[in-house]
Amino acid sequence: MNLPAGFTATTDTPLPLHAVRKPEFAAWCAAQPAPVQAWLAAQRFDGSAGSVQAWADGEGSVAGAVLGIEDPHDPLAWAHAPRALPAGDWRAACELDGGARRALQLGWGLGLYRFSRYKSQSAPLARLVSEAFDAESFDVLAACVRVRDLVNTPTEHMGPDELEAVAREMAQVHGAAVEVIAGDALLAQNYPAIHAVGRASHRAPRIIELRWGEPSHPHAVICGKGVCFDTGGLDLKAAAGMRNMKKDMGGAAHALALAELVMARKLPLRITLLVAAVENAVGPNAFRPGEVIATRKGVSVEIDNTDAEGRLVLCDALTRACELQPDLLLDFATLTGAARIALGPDLPALYANDEALAHDWLAAGQQARDPLWRMPLWRPYLRYLTSGIADLANSSNTTMAGSVTAALYLERFVEEGVRWGHVDVYAWNDSDRPGKPAGGEAQGLRAAYALLKARAAG
């Protein structure tokens, strides 16, 4: 197994890393050598979750450390360790069951992560030592890093072309097939909404379709919103709202990473990945408020607001997904600020048209310590999307229920009988926290993988 940076299987002098929960700290501390007890008392260390304390030997060299943790099966319970510990090689000096060991390894990697593509220097870091690293944990870590790297990369280096290149690289590694329809070919092959949103950019809009797996296996389609930059279009965003819009392809980042993880783990599934990749730019041929655009499904849509563009590219992708008659359809999108107002930055909003799917996804999130919160497909709010001249409006003139109405818009393009789940995800950390560095973030990804893994197992 090729170990990522921050991990090693061999070392001559690993330092002991203890972990305790606060209620158990007093008993643990009483069993330590007197100098360690005295030092911890002097530092007022009490085992509080998220705390770290190292100590030295008689020569002044680092001799060990203790972490305060709460839930040992939560990767984020361990994520403060690698950045807070002195540089060196560390080995867990406590009994860990399989779940806790996997959480430690994943949390260590999440805690180490920093986006360094444009940095000229990096400091030495703590490394985790083990002879029993878990390959699945590293694949999950790689998927989370994939999301973070894609979202953190500025649009100059992460446009529709680059998203396509990522899909093609994944396909080459895992033996998948890729088909891309771009530019005016979108009109010829009936993806008019994707074309409308992306036509003003100098970068051609496209739909990326990746196919992998055995025909006999259950078929899951994974869709992602790939708006590589969102100016808001002619309904131009304010500067503050536009500042981080490189992250508006966060849904595509999640979809790509999830598909890559399924392929890496060789789950007995057949998957189709659909990424609608565009840049919502301002230009002479930008789509306008008040226009009526066509969609692949044949539903006409009046443009109430050009900044509600994600649902427009997704509706063509969802229509294509339903044509494939999948057993399961999942989509990820940085769709609405309203979801953040309702749930804040950490909780993705989950919508589903199937009770069993919603239950299983929420349960998977709890098990993986990757929570989501279910929101209602409250269909009476479809009245907010009424158009006087088209079948549907893409937005409404009210600020109420913005995330719900966006999900209802998407549901209009999901065929009856297709089990569908939609995640309105922020894909971003506004500030640095242990295991959650400022910038791009994978949210609901580990839960989605756990869901697919359970479904593949039957």
Side-chain angles (χ1 to χ4, degrees), residues 22 28 31 35 67 98 130 142 145 165 169 241 255 258 289 304 313 320 340 351 391 420 427 435 457:
K22 187 173 182 178
W28 174 87
L67 308 176
S130 176
V145 168
E169 173 202 355
L258 180 59
D304 176 76
V313 300
R320 168 60 180 160
R340 310 287 66 80
Y351 295 86
D391 295 326
W420 165 67

Side-chain angles (χ1 to χ4, degrees), residues 117-367:
R117 176 170 175 172
Y118 304 99
K119 294 282 190 180
S120 58
Q121 295 180 336
S122 59
L125 297 171
R127 293 197 303 177
L128 183 64
V129 179
S130 176
E131 293 84 22
F133 285 119
D134 181 70
E136 184 177 38
S137 295
F138 281 141
D139 285 337
V140 172
L141 174 61
C144 295
V145 168
R146 172 72 86 177
V147 172
R148 289 175 172 184
D149 283 349
L150 290 175
V151 175
N152 283 328
T153 302
T155 305
E156 176 187 6
H157 299 137
M158 190 51 62
D161 282 326
E162 287 77 11
L163 283 182
E164 177 183 333
V166 171
R168 291 192 181 279
E169 173 202 355
M170 287 167 38
Q172 184 174 15
V173 170
H174 297 289
V178 175
E179 180 181 359
V180 177
I181 303 169
D184 289 343
L186 289 166
L187 295 175
Q189 299 197 44
N190 194 25
Y191 292 95
I194 295 174
H195 183 273
V197 173
R199 71 193 184 200
S201 174
H202 65 289
R203 297 167 163 183
R206 68 205 63 201
I207 186 162
I208 303 161
E209 182 170 326
L210 177 148
R211 299 179 294 275
W212 176 88
E214 298 294 332
S216 60
H217 290 158
H219 185 200
V221 177
I222 306 166
C223 293
K225 171 191 169 185
V227 178
C228 296
F229 195 85
D230 182 18
T231 65
L234 294 178
D235 287 311
L236 196 68
K237 292 179 182 288
M242 202 188 301
R243 172 60 180 85
N244 290 327
M245 280 300 100
K246 68 177 184 179
K247 82 176 190 67
D248 212 23
M249 39 63 69
H254 281 75
L256 285 159
L258 180 59
E260 186 174 30
L261 182 53
V262 168
M263 293 188 291
R265 298 309 303 166
K266 295 181 172 56
L267 294 188
L269 291 172
R270 176 164 60 101
I271 61 170
T272 301
L273 168 70
L274 294 169
V275 170
V278 304
E279 183 174 8
N280 187 20
V282 176
N285 62 338
F287 74 120
R288 305 171 182 85
E291 286 185 356
V292 175
I293 67 170
T295 65
R296 184 175 182 84
K297 190 177 176 67
V299 175
S300 60
V301 177
E302 182 181 11
I303 303 304
D304 176 76
N305 191 315
T306 62
D307 197 19
E309 85 300 328
R311 65 200 71 182
L312 296 174
V313 300
L314 270 179
C315 73
D316 275 359
L318 291 173
T319 300
R320 168 60 180 160
C322 291
E323 291 167 3
L324 300 174
Q325 299 182 320
D327 299 293
L328 189 63
L329 171 57
L330 312 179
D331 81 70
F332 293 84
T334 53
L335 205 61
T336 67
R340 310 287 66 80
I341 293 170
L343 299 176
D346 294 342
L347 270 179
L350 171 65
Y351 295 86
N353 65 358
D354 181 82
E355 291 300 315
L357 171 58
H359 175 274
D360 291 350
W361 203 336
L362 293 173
Q366 291 298 318
Q367 182 68 26

